[in-house]
Amino acid sequence: MDLFRKKEINLNQTSGMKKDLKTTDLIMLGIGAIIGTGIFVVTGVAANQNAGPALSLSFVLAAIVVILSGLSFAEFASRVPVIGGPYAYLYVVFGEFAAWLTGWLLIGEFLLAVSSVASGWSGYVQGFLQSLGVGLPHALTGGYNSENGTYIDLIAVLVVIFVTYIVSLEAKKALRLNNLMVFVKFGIIALFIVVGIFFVKPENWQPFTPFGFSGVLDGAALVFFAFLGFDSVAMAAEEVKNPQKDVPRGIIGSILIATALYIIVTLILTGIVPYTELGVTDPVAFAMRYVGHGTIGAIIAVGAILTLLTVTISMMYSLARLLFAVSKDGLLPKFMTEIDEKHRTPRKATYVAGVAALFFAGFFPLNILAELTNIMALTYLMLVSLGLLKLRKMFGKPKAGEFKVPFVPILPLISILTCFILMLRLQPITWLVFGIVMVLGLIIYFGYGYKHSKMNE
């Protein structure tokens, strides 16, 4: 049994999908995936329970970890511009077993992200409907919880069905809606910044670190979730006109823009509302109501409802492409490699992604969905940084025109260390569930993947 058999890079091989995406499309895809729950949901609870006003420092720390990983992503995307992102990268440098583990982690991350955002989106919509005097039967308002009397989250199920249909169309059409919603997202964030800056009270920033530096670290471990999605850019490699230049630009550009917005919004938010009062699920809209601008708060709430769709679209898009890539190598059933003749998209892989996400979004509570996302992402980011060291050893330094990570091996090693530090801040139960998920992945690989792998040929 050869667990380290490697895939050859074949840049002339095509998947049959259209190549019509540019740098702007990729940056919009990345921003659509990144900016969402981080600003509209996570900031309030993280400030209230973890870091206080120093949450802005937590975002800086999380951004450093993400940017270091993003640099490795960018060089891989420039030198190995094939579909599958980290899964494909590690197939080239470490071989099949490491690639499968990475692919399994990515599938889990994207699946949980789609489901958790759909569940969070459902909460916003239900709150908005209740403000209008409209309510669903209690049994249909949340994941299965017999003690609470909820059995299925109907709105989360419906939004997953809608997003699955959108993503099954041509990539350009799916991302056109995403791009439109990104502009709406920028609009409501700009509205919050322009109005909110006049209500900032510097005394609300005192004490700046009420939970100490450990609170800042805990906050970084939590808000790391807010940056997930930049890797969706790498998944689009086979639909990009010039992947060696456009994909790295898309990755770095989307991370930098998201980081700047997170820091600005967090500073203004904690300057308007004392962190002790921010334990809410709609902190940005809440801040506007707090200073007497209920109408602006309502506009922001509606905007959040609309723009959280971009996160689900981006993540679903990435999940479908990942399933397509893994199936193309034989590690998952072959039917997911079929390309729809009309739209030139992996429609069956998209439907599988949609059914799985629908199940989790409809029947599992939000806290369970979000539990594994960070630890899965941090684990595969460590593998990518380690893979970059192997890539340099195998193929040398990047050629002219290819993206180059500076200060190798120092920066990749720092990336691995910072990811591990954030992982240590996660709760023991998260590690336990993570171990169970990884065992399940091993069973699938040794029970199906290894036997059906194209490498056997």
Side-chain angles (χ1 to χ4, degrees):
M1 178 175 284
D2 184 7
L3 300 179
F4 305 102
R5 47 194 183 184
K6 297 181 176 65
K7 180 191 290 186
E8 296 290 332
I9 302 175
N10 184 1
L11 300 182
N12 296 319
Q13 183 179 354
T14 62
S15 62
M17 291 188 279
K18 286 186 177 179
K19 289 181 174 290
D20 57 0
L21 303 183
K22 301 178 182 178
T23 300
T24 51
D25 292 310
L26 297 179
I27 291 178
M28 289 296 189
L29 173 65
I31 292 174
I34 296 170
I35 299 178
T37 50
I39 281 183
F40 299 120
V41 180
V42 174
T43 44
V45 175
N48 178 255
Q49 299 180 4
N50 296 99
L55 184 64
S56 56
L57 295 182
S58 298
F59 273 113
V60 172
L61 289 179
I64 290 172
V65 177
V66 172
I67 289 172
L68 288 172
S69 301
L71 291 174
S72 296
F73 261 84
E75 181 168 326
F76 263 116
S78 177
R79 305 182 70 182
V80 192
V82 293
I83 196 167
Y87 160 77
Y89 305 157
L90 296 192
Y91 217 143
V92 171
V93 296
F94 286 137
E96 185 174 274
F97 183 63
W100 165 255
L101 290 179
T102 304
W104 182 244
L105 290 166
L106 278 166
I107 289 171
E109 180 210 332
F110 287 136
L111 179 60
L112 289 166
V114 170
S115 303
S116 60
V117 175
S119 180
W121 188 86
S122 173
Y124 263 91
V125 173
Q126 289 179 44
F128 180 71
L129 291 176
Q130 288 173 3
S131 70
L132 301 177
V134 179
L136 293 174
H138 184 67
L140 305 179
T141 59
Y144 180 79
N145 186 336
S146 57
E147 294 181 0
N148 192 36
T150 58
Y151 295 93
I152 185 172
D153 192 334
L154 179 61
I155 293 178
V157 168
L158 293 177
V159 75
V160 170
I161 292 173
F162 171 73
V163 168
T164 302
Y165 169 72
I166 290 295
V167 174
S168 70
L169 303 177
E170 294 179 15
K172 199 73 174 178
K173 290 183 179 179
L175 296 187
R176 191 175 295 133
L177 174 61
N178 176 74
N179 293 354
L180 174 63
M181 289 301 168
V182 168
F183 285 117
V184 174
K185 187 183 299 185
F186 276 137
I188 61 174
I189 291 173
L191 176 64
F192 172 75
I193 293 173
V194 170
V195 175
I197 197 169
F198 292 101
F199 294 92
V200 169
K201 296 180 179 179
E203 56 265 31
N204 285 336
W205 291 330
Q206 301 298 326
F208 192 67
T209 55
F211 301 96
F213 184 69
S214 63
V216 176
L217 279 177
D218 290 338
L222 178 61
V223 301
F224 184 82
F225 177 81
F227 287 95
L228 299 182
F230 76 91
D231 41 11
S232 63
V233 176
M235 297 297 169
E238 287 200 20
E239 294 166 274
V240 179
K241 285 186 176 180
N242 186 1
Q244 289 180 309
K245 291 186 178 180
D246 290 342
V247 173
R249 291 171 182 170
I251 291 172
I252 302 300
S254 58
I255 292 174
L256 291 177
I257 293 172
T259 301
L261 288 175
Y262 279 147
I263 293 171
I264 293 171
V265 169
T266 302
L267 286 173
I268 293 177
L269 180 66
T270 53
I272 295 174
V273 184
Y275 75 92
T276 53
E277 300 182 40
L278 277 175
V280 295
T281 56
D282 58 343
V284 178
F286 173 80
M288 290 292 95
R289 295 195 298 269
Y290 187 84
V291 293
H293 284 278
T295 302
I296 294 177
I299 293 172
I300 289 174
V302 172
I305 289 171
L306 292 174
T307 58
L308 282 175
L309 275 177
T310 64
V311 183
T312 50
I313 289 173
S314 299
M315 291 293 187
M316 182 68 77
Y317 174 91
S318 304
L319 177 57
R321 269 61 184 174
L322 178 60
L323 290 174
F324 171 82
V326 178
S327 300
K328 194 165 70 169
D329 292 327
L331 302 182
L332 287 175
K334 188 177 180 180
F335 74 90
M336 286 189 282
T337 64
E338 296 180 23
I339 298 293
D340 178 71
E341 292 186 5
K342 180 179 179 181
H343 299 292
R344 311 307 300 168
T345 57
R347 176 168 287 194
K348 290 187 177 179
T350 305
Y351 288 160
V352 170
V355 170
L358 183 151
F359 174 74
F360 282 101
F363 295 98
F364 286 78
L366 180 58
N367 62 327
I368 295 177
L369 293 173
E371 194 173 51
L372 286 172
T373 309
N374 278 2
I375 196 167
M376 286 187 164
L378 288 164
T379 302
Y380 85 75
L381 291 178
M382 290 171 65
L383 290 173
V384 170
S385 295
L386 193 61
L388 180 70
L389 300 178
K390 187 65 180 295
L391 180 73
R392 288 286 185 95
K393 186 176 180 181
M394 291 173 62
F395 302 107
K397 294 182 180 180
K399 300 175 183 176
E402 295 177 338
F403 185 86
K404 179 182 178 182
V405 176
F407 307 114
V408 174
I410 297 174
L411 288 188
L413 291 175
I414 293 175
S415 175
I416 294 170
L417 178 62
T418 53
C419 285
F420 186 66
I421 289 172
L422 290 188
M423 289 173 69
L424 292 178
R425 309 302 298 188
L426 300 173
Q427 298 180 9
I429 185 64
T430 304
W431 283 88
L432 176 62
V433 178
F434 173 67
I436 294 172
V437 170
M438 295 309 295
V439 169
L440 180 61
L442 293 176
I443 292 172
I444 294 174
Y445 176 70
F446 290 111
Y448 178 89
Y450 188 85
K451 298 176 185 177
H452 295 83
S453 172
K454 277 196 172 184
M455 298 298 287
N456 290 325
E457 301 172 7

